[in-house]
């Protein structure tokens, strides 16, 4: 130890505590966390201020990024050049910032994770919106502090007309804490801020009427709202983000998934590579091809599926195993008065308004001081012009300017500042025109001073200034939301978004489904050739037409005996001429299964209703089964077994009954059997059922009807060659279940075999569709009642060996079709034939 030195003993534990606290606070305050007022971390603030000092404004030429980085490093931010350059690059990336603050020229990276070019190659300048953050900096609006070497000063915060912490978000990792704030839509934030100014007692819930949710620069979909609500109310929450996708069909008939937007902060190239790896590892099945077709016009990732793959299943697997769905954890920690705090939506707006209020006060005071100084000088100049001869005499008689100044002060009572301005005044100011200009300037200044003093004296006017400036910012830079919001099933009632209107559900032979407003179908008279219906693929035709309403719950029964649930509004909408969507993409049914029957119910939660109603099922081999509706009251995504189907058989019809309906079952050879529903005992959901009708080996059931009102309902049968007839229910005598039945139609080569049996009233229309896709709608009341064993009347004229594919009874319509291609007089009545 040298002379004069001494050792001071300290407690190392206390020293480490002190040193670590100093270090952590330095990281928290001076590096990692944004300030609640301007929403910027120190490096971003210094980059913007450095560019402002360089004059790299939006209306001027770009400057080399290296020049900007050097300015910031040398004057304000003594850290690595990469930290400054990376901060500036991020402020220029439109997929990273909702409202970029820097305009870059050159390679500034990509959403694929490509690195930006070196700073010697790129150029940059401020964007117009960044100038709003720097506006009025020279008007003493914010405090300054010495830079790292005390040679210059830098602002402690920017004036920030825009609430940048909310609109652009922030992220940072400090010591013992981190922040991750989501970006929002500028227009929504401005509206919410103005609402807060108008009512400081506004609640977060009320603010959420203006700010719907975060709005990410990459778009995408926010799936579920609870995380958003938690973030707004508590400052912490997890937002689930999904890619925006569409399902299209290739020319070869395969489904393909098109991805047009991905979640925020997801690397597109890495996401595609991950999907490809999962395909190769067989962890995701059903994908045959993936390609990135993105270009300058936008993002487009194409995933083509295998022939039998179900698009919804593949998409859900992609959501589960890849970044096609990701979460964004929100943690709203920012510096408030130099201390880190967790803030909710209202607090974030509150502290921004408080900052702007202080800026407005300081700016107004600065402008008032400047205006008063200038007004003082103008008063002196105008007074000098009033005493011009005497002023000139004093100046000419003085040996030095200082002598003239002192004489003007002493003799004419000018202030020193006024006297100096008079001495510096040019001779041209003595003209009458210049005097008028001075007088006008003085008058305008007095008006400005009065307005500025009024603002300083009235807090209401101060808040109005803030609101006006925010409205101006919204007009300049406000835009529409990029990120959609999709609420999940637990968070809203989807029925509130759909009117309870009648719709037609159509299912084609190859399994394409759609819903169409019933009003799209027109009424024709009997014998018309029909209007063009759905456009289907080659060899496809519409096989089923069902009528229901938007709020109903649809129960779909497949030929393998499975039951699936679906709300009508979840069925894809299409026009009458559109093909629809493959039903495998709407229901999770097996590829070799297809829907054969349906029913619609509303009250699966009503115990009395589900315990006193039944589902009756019928198969092609004449098996019938009755099960209580309660067994179907618990929907499952993957469906349930409704009936055990034996080999060679398949489910054909399903009816909802009240327990005492009359049941009629018809066969292809023209036989029908009638018995009361009470003849069938209700059994469990997985039972096989009992025999309903005895048939030959070549015969099969074509349909089943359940008649509730015997006086109003008639029995309608239709043959494949377009013949049909309406008969009274009493024409069919009641027999026991399992008999051969009676003749329901006189089957000939002319009529063709029976294809349908329906229960109808005169308040119904009959919709017929043939295999070529033509449709006709005619009124049931136009078909007269005939005997049970007659051949019937011709309902539709068929061309080119066409035949009827399906018929359906629909509500009556008054909308008449004027374009009838054939007269309704072409009706052939066939005389009764005794059995």
């Amino acid at each position: 130890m040298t002379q004069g030195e001494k050792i001071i003993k300290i407690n190392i534990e206390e020293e480490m505590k002190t040193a670590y606290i100093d270090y952590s606070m330095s990281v928290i305050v001076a590096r990692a966390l944004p300030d609640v007022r301007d929403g910027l971390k120190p490096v971003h603030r210094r980059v913007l201020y450095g560019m402002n000092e360089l004059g790299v404004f939006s209306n001027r030429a770009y400057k080399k990024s290296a020049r900007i980085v050097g300015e910031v490093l040398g004057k304000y931010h003594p850290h690595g050049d990469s930290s400054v350059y990376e901060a500036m690059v991020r402020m220029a990336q439109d997929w990273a910032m909702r409202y970029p603050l820097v305009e870059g020229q050159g390679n500034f990276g990509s959403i694929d994770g490509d690195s930006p070019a070196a700073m010697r190659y790129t150029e940059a300048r401020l964007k117009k919106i960044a100038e709003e953050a720097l506006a009025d900096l020279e008007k003493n609006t914010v405090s300054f502090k010495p830079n790292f070497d005390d040679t210059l000063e830098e602002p402690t915060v920017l004036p920030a007309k825009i609430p940048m912490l909310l609109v652009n978000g922030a992220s940072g990792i400090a010591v013992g804490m981190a922040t991750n704030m989501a970006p929002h839509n500028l227009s929504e934030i401005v509206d919410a801020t103005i609402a807060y100014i108008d009512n400081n007692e506004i609640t977060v819930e009320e603010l959420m009427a203006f700010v719907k949710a975060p709005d990410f620069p990459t778009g995408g979909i926010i799936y579920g709202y609870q995380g958003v609500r938690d973030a707004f109310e508590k400052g912490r929450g997890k937002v689930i983000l999904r890619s925006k996708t569409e399902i299209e069909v290739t020319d070869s008939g395969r489904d393909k998934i098109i991805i047009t937007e991905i979640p925020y902060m997801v690397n597109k190239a890495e996401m595609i590579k991950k999907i490809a790896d999962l395909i190769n590892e067989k962890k995701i099945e059903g994908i045959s091809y993936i390609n990135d077709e993105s270009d300058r016009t936008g993002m487009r990732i194409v995933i083509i599926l295998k022939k039998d793959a179900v698009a919804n299943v593949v998409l859900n697997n992609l959501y589960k195993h890849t970044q096609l769905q990701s979460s964004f954890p929100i943690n709203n920690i920012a510096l408030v008065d130099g201390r880190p705090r967790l803030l909710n939506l209202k607090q974030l707006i509150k502290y921004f308004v408080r900052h702007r209020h202080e800026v407005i006060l300081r700016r107004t005071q600065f402008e008032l001081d400047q205006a008063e100084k200038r007004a003082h000088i103008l008063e002196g100049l105008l007074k000098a012009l009033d005493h011009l001869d005497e002023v000139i005499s004093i100046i000419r008689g003085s040996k030095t300017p200082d002598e003239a100044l002192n004489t003007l002060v002493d003799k004419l009572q000018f202030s020193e500042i006024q006297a100096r301005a008079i001495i510096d005044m040019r001779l041209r100011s003595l003209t009458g025109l210049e005097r008028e200009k001075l007088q006008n300037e003085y008058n305008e200044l007095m008006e400005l001073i009065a307005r500025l003093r009024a603002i300083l004296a009235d807090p209401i006017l101060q808040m109005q200034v803030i609101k006006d400036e925010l409205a101006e910012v919204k007009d300049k830079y406000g835009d529409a939301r990029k990120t959609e919001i999709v609420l999940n099933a637990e968070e809203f009632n989807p029925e509130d978004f759909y009117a309870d209107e009648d719709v037609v559900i159509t299912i084609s032979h190859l399994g394409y489904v759609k819903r169409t407003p019933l009003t799209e179908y027109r009424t024709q008279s009997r014998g018309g050739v029909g209007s063009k219906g759905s456009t289907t693929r080659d060899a496809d035709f519409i096989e089923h037409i069902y009528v229901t309403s938007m709020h109903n719950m649809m129960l779909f029964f497949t030929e393998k005996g499975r039951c699936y649930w679906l709300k009508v509004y979840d069925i894809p909408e299409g026009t009458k001429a559109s093909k629809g969507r493959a039903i495998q993409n709407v229901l999770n049914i097996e590829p070799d299964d297809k829907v054969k029957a349906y029913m619609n119910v509303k009250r699966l939660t009503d115990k009395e209703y589900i315990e006193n109603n039944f589902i009756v099922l019928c198969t092609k081999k004449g098996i019938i089964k009755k099960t209580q509706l309660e067994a179907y009251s618990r929907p499952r995504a993957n469906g349930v077994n409704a009936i055990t189907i034996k080999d060679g058989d398949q489910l054909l019809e399903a009816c909802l009954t009240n327990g005492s309906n009359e049941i009629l079952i018809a066969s292809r050879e023209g036989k029908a059997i009638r018995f009361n529903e009470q003849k069938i005992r209700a059994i469990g959901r997985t039972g096989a059922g009992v025999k309903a009708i005895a048939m030959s080996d070549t015969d099969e059931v074509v349909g089943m009807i359940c008649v509730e009102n015997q006086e109003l309902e008639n029995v309608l049968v239709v043959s494949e060659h377009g013949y049909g007839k309406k008969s009274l229910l009493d024409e069919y005598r009641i027999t026991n279940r399992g008999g051969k039945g009676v003749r329901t139609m006189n089957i000939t080569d002319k009529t063709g075999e029976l294809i349908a049996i329906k229960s109808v009233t005169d308040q119904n229309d009959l919709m017929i569709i043939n295999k070529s896709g033509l449709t006709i709608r005619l009124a049931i009341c136009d078909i007269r009642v005939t005997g049970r064993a007659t051949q019937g009347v011709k309902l539709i004229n068929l061309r080119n060996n066409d035949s009827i594919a399906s018929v359906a009874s629909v509500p009556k319509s008054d909308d008449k079709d004027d374009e009838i291609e054939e007269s309704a007089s072409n009706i052939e009545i066939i005389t009764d034939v005794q059995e």
Side-chain angles (χ1 to χ4, degrees):
M1 185 172 68
T2 59
Q3 188 175 1
E5 291 182 350
K6 63 179 180 179
I7 296 175
I8 301 175
K9 293 183 178 181
I10 61 171
N11 186 319
I12 192 168
E13 182 180 347
E14 291 298 325
E15 181 64 19
M16 291 183 69
K17 281 183 181 179
T18 304
Y20 187 75
I21 290 173
D22 290 344
Y23 161 74
S24 60
M25 287 307 298
S26 175
V27 171
I28 290 168
V29 175
R31 185 175 300 182
L33 297 185
D35 193 295
V36 73
R37 296 170 292 177
D38 62 3
L40 298 172
K41 295 195 283 189
V43 64
H44 299 105
R45 187 179 301 117
R46 287 164 176 167
V47 168
L48 294 178
Y49 181 65
M51 294 178 75
N52 182 71
E53 292 299 287
L54 274 176
V56 197
F57 301 119
S58 59
N59 58 351
R60 298 188 186 176
Y62 294 91
K63 265 193 170 57
K64 281 288 185 185
S65 298
R67 175 73 179 84
I68 297 169
V69 171
E71 175 83 3
V72 176
L73 278 182
K75 292 183 176 179
Y76 313 113
H77 197 72
H79 299 279
D81 58 356
S82 62
S83 65
V84 176
Y85 185 50
E86 287 170 8
M88 188 186 78
V89 164
R90 189 174 185 277
M91 287 194 288
Q93 295 174 336
D94 58 6
W95 63 91
M97 299 282 280
R98 182 63 178 83
Y99 298 91
L101 303 174
V102 173
E103 186 177 354
Q105 182 168 267
N107 176 13
F108 274 75
S110 74
I111 198 170
D112 287 326
D114 299 321
S115 299
M119 58 185 175
R120 61 182 178 274
Y121 298 120
T122 61
E123 297 178 331
R125 66 182 178 188
L126 289 170
K127 286 186 79 75
K128 187 72 177 173
I129 194 170
E131 294 173 11
E132 303 288 356
L134 294 157
D136 304 323
L137 194 59
E138 73 285 356
K139 294 184 178 180
N140 193 35
T141 50
V142 295
S143 301
F144 281 71
K145 65 178 181 180
N147 68 339
F148 61 90
D149 61 359
D150 290 346
T151 58
L152 297 167
E153 287 195 329
E154 60 175 315
T156 57
V157 67
L158 297 185
K161 278 187 184 179
I162 302 166
M164 286 193 294
L165 188 57
L166 279 163
V167 301
N168 270 335
S171 64
I173 300 173
V175 177
M177 65 184 68
T179 186
N180 201 38
M181 305 183 69
H184 296 79
N185 183 269
L186 175 62
S187 299
E188 293 181 358
I189 293 297
V190 167
D191 290 342
T193 306
I194 292 174
Y196 169 79
I197 293 172
D198 290 337
N199 176 21
N200 290 166
E201 302 303 318
I202 192 170
T203 64
V204 174
E205 184 75 26
E206 291 168 332
L207 286 172
M208 288 167 63
F210 301 96
V211 186
K212 309 299 183 187
D215 190 23
F216 298 97
T218 53
I221 296 170
I222 292 175
Y223 185 70
Y225 202 69
Q226 188 57 46
V228 174
R229 186 181 301 277
D230 289 342
F232 283 163
E233 293 179 347
K234 304 172 186 176
R236 279 199 179 99
K238 185 168 74 171
V239 176
I240 304 299
L241 290 172
R242 280 187 171 181
S243 301
K244 189 174 290 185
T245 60
E246 299 172 1
I247 298 175
E248 299 179 0
V249 180
T250 65
D251 294 336
S252 62
R254 293 185 180 185
D255 287 330
K256 59 181 179 180
I257 299 171
I258 309 297
I259 302 167
T260 55
E261 295 175 5
I262 62 175
Y264 184 51
M265 300 304 289
V266 168
N267 184 310
K268 175 163 66 72
E270 287 185 4
M271 183 187 76
I272 294 172
K273 183 178 182 298
K274 174 68 172 177
I275 295 173
D277 290 342
L278 291 173
I279 295 170
N280 294 333
E281 295 167 4
K282 306 294 185 184
K283 291 184 178 178
I284 292 183
E285 302 285 348
I287 297 176
S288 64
Y289 174 81
I290 181 170
N291 188 38
D292 187 3
E293 298 180 3
S294 306
D295 55 23
R296 292 185 178 182
T297 61
M299 184 181 298
R300 182 180 170 88
I301 303 168
V302 179
I303 300 174
I304 297 181
L305 307 185
K306 293 179 180 178
K307 189 171 184 180
D308 295 331
V310 179
N312 280 352
V313 173
V314 174
L315 193 55
N316 286 333
N317 280 324
L318 289 171
Y319 286 145
K320 181 178 180 181
H321 296 290
T322 73
Q323 286 190 299
L324 221 57
Q325 174 176 304
S326 67
S327 62
F328 186 88
I330 296 177
N331 192 27
N332 293 337
I333 292 181
L335 295 175
V336 180
D337 300 326
R339 294 176 177 272
R341 283 189 57 187
L342 181 67
L343 305 168
N344 63 22
L345 177 62
K346 181 179 178 180
Q347 291 169 325
L348 288 167
I349 293 174
K350 168 189 171 184
Y351 288 120
F352 169 75
V353 171
R354 189 180 75 174
H355 170 60
R356 281 304 294 170
H357 187 209
E358 182 181 349
V359 167
I360 295 300
L361 287 176
R362 293 180 63 160
R363 184 185 68 188
T364 305
Q365 187 62 55
F366 176 86
E367 290 174 346
L368 177 61
D369 293 342
Q370 297 300 109
E372 288 177 339
K373 288 178 183 178
R374 178 61 180 165
H376 180 65
I377 292 173
L378 289 175
E379 287 173 352
L381 295 177
L382 290 171
K383 180 180 176 181
L385 291 175
D386 291 338
H387 303 81
L388 185 58
D389 293 339
E390 190 173 356
V391 168
I392 292 174
S393 174
I394 290 172
I395 294 174
R396 289 183 64 183
S398 301
K399 295 182 179 179
T400 63
D402 288 342
E403 183 182 340
L405 187 148
N406 293 330
T407 305
L408 287 171
V409 170
D410 295 338
K411 192 170 183 180
L412 296 180
Q413 304 302 311
F414 287 109
S415 70
E416 186 176 336
I417 294 174
Q418 290 174 328
R420 194 173 300 280
I422 291 168
I423 293 171
D424 293 338
M425 185 171 59
R426 297 181 179 182
L427 287 175
R428 72 178 187 184
S429 300
L430 303 179
T431 63
L433 185 62
E434 289 297 320
R435 177 187 174 85
E436 186 178 351
K437 284 183 178 180
L438 290 174
Q439 187 64 52
N440 290 338
E441 183 185 356
Y442 179 74
N443 294 338
E444 290 173 2
L445 272 177
M446 295 311 293
E447 291 178 4
L448 175 62
I449 289 170
R451 183 165 60 85
L452 293 174
R453 285 175 176 167
I455 291 173
L456 286 173
D458 189 351
I460 295 177
L461 285 179
Q462 295 160 15
M463 290 300 166
Q464 188 60 47
V465 171
I466 299 175
K467 288 166 59 176
D468 292 343
E469 291 183 354
L470 284 170
E472 182 183 356
V473 164
K474 178 184 174 182
D475 290 340
K476 285 183 180 179
Y477 310 106
D479 58 3
R481 284 188 63 87
K482 291 186 176 183
T483 304
E484 293 182 11
I485 306 166
V486 173
L487 306 181
N488 61 35
E490 292 77 24
E491 295 176 332
F492 78 119
N493 181 8
E495 291 183 2
D496 296 340
F497 296 85
Y498 299 96
D500 196 14
E501 300 171 339
D502 287 337
V503 293
V504 176
I505 306 298
T506 58
I507 303 174
S508 76
H509 182 69
L510 293 182
Y512 286 86
V513 64
K514 70 169 188 273
R515 63 175 163 87
T516 307
L518 187 62
T519 53
E520 282 204 22
Y521 291 90
R522 301 169 295 183
T523 303
Q524 293 181 341
S525 295
R526 284 186 294 113
V529 297
S531 61
K532 186 65 178 173
S534 297
T535 302
T536 56
R537 292 169 50 190
D538 294 341
D540 195 10
F541 56 87
I542 299 300
E543 190 168 6
H544 300 282
I545 303 174
Y546 306 128
V547 177
T548 182
S549 62
M550 287 286 280
H551 287 187
N552 282 11
M553 173 74 81
M554 298 288 295
L555 271 63
F556 290 89
F557 294 87
T558 70
E559 63 183 23
K560 287 188 174 184
R562 300 279 293 174
C563 174
Y564 297 86
W565 293 262
L566 193 66
K567 281 289 190 178
V568 170
Y569 49 71
D570 287 328
I571 297 173
E573 184 175 7
T575 62
K576 189 174 68 169
S578 67
K579 179 174 61 176
R581 281 268 299 281
I583 203 164
Q584 284 88 350
N585 291 334
V586 182
L587 299 173
N588 295 327
I589 69 174
E590 298 176 9
D592 59 342
D593 200 1
K594 63 179 180 179
V595 172
K596 298 296 290 184
Y598 89 104
M599 68 183 57
N600 54 321
V601 295
K602 284 189 176 182
R603 304 184 296 258
L604 286 180
T605 57
D606 186 335
K607 186 175 180 181
E608 182 179 353
Y609 174 74
I610 62 178
E611 289 181 353
N612 290 286
N613 284 275
F614 302 86
I615 291 177
V616 177
L617 306 174
C618 177
T619 73
K620 274 193 174 183
K621 294 298 183 182
I623 301 299
I624 193 167
K625 175 190 172 185
K626 183 169 78 169
T627 305
Q628 199 175 47
L629 180 59
E630 192 275 337
Y632 297 90
S633 62
R634 292 169 288 277
R636 298 181 191 172
N638 295 321
V640 296
N641 282 327
I643 185 173
T644 300
I645 299 292
K646 297 179 180 179
D647 292 341
D649 198 2
Q650 61 180 231
L651 184 67
L652 185 68
E653 292 279 5
C655 293
L656 182 66
T657 71
N658 59 13
S660 58
N661 287 21
E662 293 292 319
I663 294 177
L664 271 77
I665 296 176
S667 72
R668 186 171 290 278
E669 294 179 357
K671 294 286 188 177
I673 187 170
R674 173 188 174 188
F675 54 87
N676 192 277
E677 180 188 347
Q678 294 177 350
K679 298 277 186 176
I680 317 167
R681 181 175 59 89
I683 60 175
R685 186 167 45 77
T686 57
V690 294
K691 180 175 285 191
I693 184 171
M695 302 179 296
S696 66
D697 292 339
T698 58
D699 200 4
E700 62 182 24
V701 172
V702 296
M704 173 184 70
I705 61 173
C706 299
V707 180
E708 182 176 358
N709 192 325
Q710 301 179 31
E711 295 181 358
L712 294 179
E713 297 181 54
N714 294 321
V715 178
L716 177 76
V717 290
V718 180
S719 70
E720 61 183 345
H721 291 170
Y723 286 81
K725 68 183 180 65
K726 184 171 63 174
S727 302
L728 297 174
L729 181 64
D730 289 341
E731 291 275 334
Y732 298 84
R733 69 175 182 267
I734 299 176
T735 65
N736 287 324
R737 174 186 57 79
K740 291 184 178 181
V742 297
R743 182 179 297 177
T744 185
M745 189 179 205
N746 186 31
I747 299 299
T748 65
D749 291 339
K750 187 175 185 178
T751 63
E753 293 183 319
L754 200 67
I755 66 156
I757 181 170
K758 299 291 176 184
S759 175
V760 298
T761 71
D762 286 345
Q763 302 305 311
N764 294 135
D765 285 347
L766 185 68
M767 189 175 291
I768 303 175
I769 190 156
N770 59 28
K771 292 183 179 180
S772 63
L774 293 175
T775 63
I776 186 170
R777 181 171 181 164
L778 54 90
I780 296 290
C781 60
D782 289 345
I783 307 172
R784 74 177 180 86
V785 177
T786 59
R788 170 175 54 78
T790 61
Q791 211 171 29
V793 298
K794 199 168 190 179
L795 301 178
I796 183 170
N797 291 323
L798 302 174
R799 297 173 176 174
N800 301 324
N801 298 320
D802 202 359
S803 60
I804 294 178
S806 181
V807 299
S809 175
V810 300
K812 190 175 184 64
S813 171
D814 294 328
D815 183 19
K816 300 295 182 183
D817 190 348
D818 295 328
E819 299 178 0
I820 302 173
E821 298 187 33
E822 290 193 20
S823 173
S825 62
N826 296 333
I827 302 172
E828 182 180 0
I829 304 295
I830 309 300
T831 58
D832 288 0
V833 177
Q834 294 300 320
E835 191 173 351

